[in-house]
Amino acid sequence: MIAAVLGAVLGGLLVAPALRGLVVRYAVPEGGPWCTRCPACERRLRGLPPGGRCPGCRERLGPGAWQVEVVTVGVAAAALSAAHPADAVLLLWAAGPGVVLGFTDARVRRLPYPLSWALAAGLAALLVVVELAAGSPGVLLRCLLVALAAAALFELPGWIGLMGPGDTVLALGLGALLGRYGWSAAFTGLFAASVLAGLWAVVRAVAALARRRPVRGLELPMGPFLLLGTLAAVLLQ
């Protein structure tokens, strides 16, 4: 356990600058170009330090100081605590784009296709390798069915504007991962995501009422809660 924690801290701090840079890159309003340069000094953005300031002009960009780093280390520690190495590999793969997607959705209510499809495609490839190596090809059918069911569950609200298309793609990838652990795990993950989202909606509504601000129009990012629910369901197994 100590080795897992130390590995998570070291690995998380090493990849966090790149993840922070990707959050700044993709956290732009729908229809706008990706942010590849600092808006203030035009410096090309690749990685960013924990303080979140541009190395050239010191302009603050993206999430607050150490937010991405703390989340990355925490998710990495949770993934490395998995009992089976295959589970750790799957969770670590999901963690990279998942951290960026969570912060991006929280900031601009958007789940960019390049990241959500990368997460889904990577999980699909890893699941094929893992299950074939374990001699359990039948599990792949369940992964596919759960993935399709989860995507349909989020596609239907999208038709009436309650969900975005990025939520469907994210649910597709995470559903495939949950399918590895069975239908009960899939239900647990999606139920946990819905409960967390509902609690957050209540907190925001109460805060808005306390500040005498309108409650209607408060958009809720579903991506972070989907990711948290999936992580919780997998670790419970």
Side-chain angles (χ1 to χ4, degrees):
M1 180 61 70
I2 295 177
V5 172
L6 292 177
V9 172
L10 179 59
L13 292 179
L14 286 175
V15 302
L19 298 182
R20 181 180 282 276
L22 288 174
V23 173
V24 174
R25 177 186 180 91
Y26 289 112
V28 295
E30 187 74 35
W34 304 132
C35 180
T36 59
R37 296 180 180 274
C38 174
C41 68
E42 293 296 321
R43 179 190 178 98
R44 181 171 290 278
L45 298 175
R46 292 183 176 87
L48 288 173
R53 294 187 180 275
C54 171
C57 65
R58 308 300 297 168
E59 178 77 10
R60 181 175 292 280
L61 303 170
W66 290 98
Q67 290 182 7
V68 175
E69 290 71 21
V70 170
V71 171
T72 303
V73 168
V75 173
L80 291 176
S81 68
H84 197 283
D87 300 319
V89 170
L90 290 166
L91 288 175
L92 285 174
W93 170 258
V99 169
V100 181
L101 285 167
F103 275 99
T104 301
D105 198 21
R107 291 179 66 82
V108 296
R109 308 298 187 267
R110 182 181 186 185
L111 293 168
Y113 279 142
L115 290 172
S116 52
W117 277 116
L119 185 148
L123 283 176
L126 287 173
L127 284 168
V128 170
V129 173
V130 167
E131 298 304 338
L132 290 181
S136 306
V139 175
L140 295 175
L141 177 59
R142 187 176 64 213
C143 291
L144 176 61
L145 293 176
V146 174
L148 294 176
L153 185 65
F154 283 86
E155 179 67 16
L156 294 176
W159 290 351
I160 56 177
L162 296 179
M163 296 284 181
D167 294 303
T168 301
V169 179
L170 181 60
L172 181 74
L174 297 180
L177 176 60
L178 289 170
R180 167 176 162 80
Y181 305 97
W183 287 99
S184 61
F187 175 80
T188 299
L190 296 175
F191 180 75
S194 300
V195 170
L196 290 172
L199 291 174
W200 182 244
V202 171
V203 170
R204 292 194 63 192
V206 171
L209 291 173
R211 298 177 182 179
R212 297 184 179 180
R213 294 180 179 178
V215 176
R216 297 181 62 182
L218 291 177
E219 297 182 3
L220 185 69
M222 194 64 194
F225 304 109
L226 266 174
L227 292 161
L228 286 173
T230 299
L231 178 63
V234 171
L235 293 178
L236 284 174
Q237 303 303 312

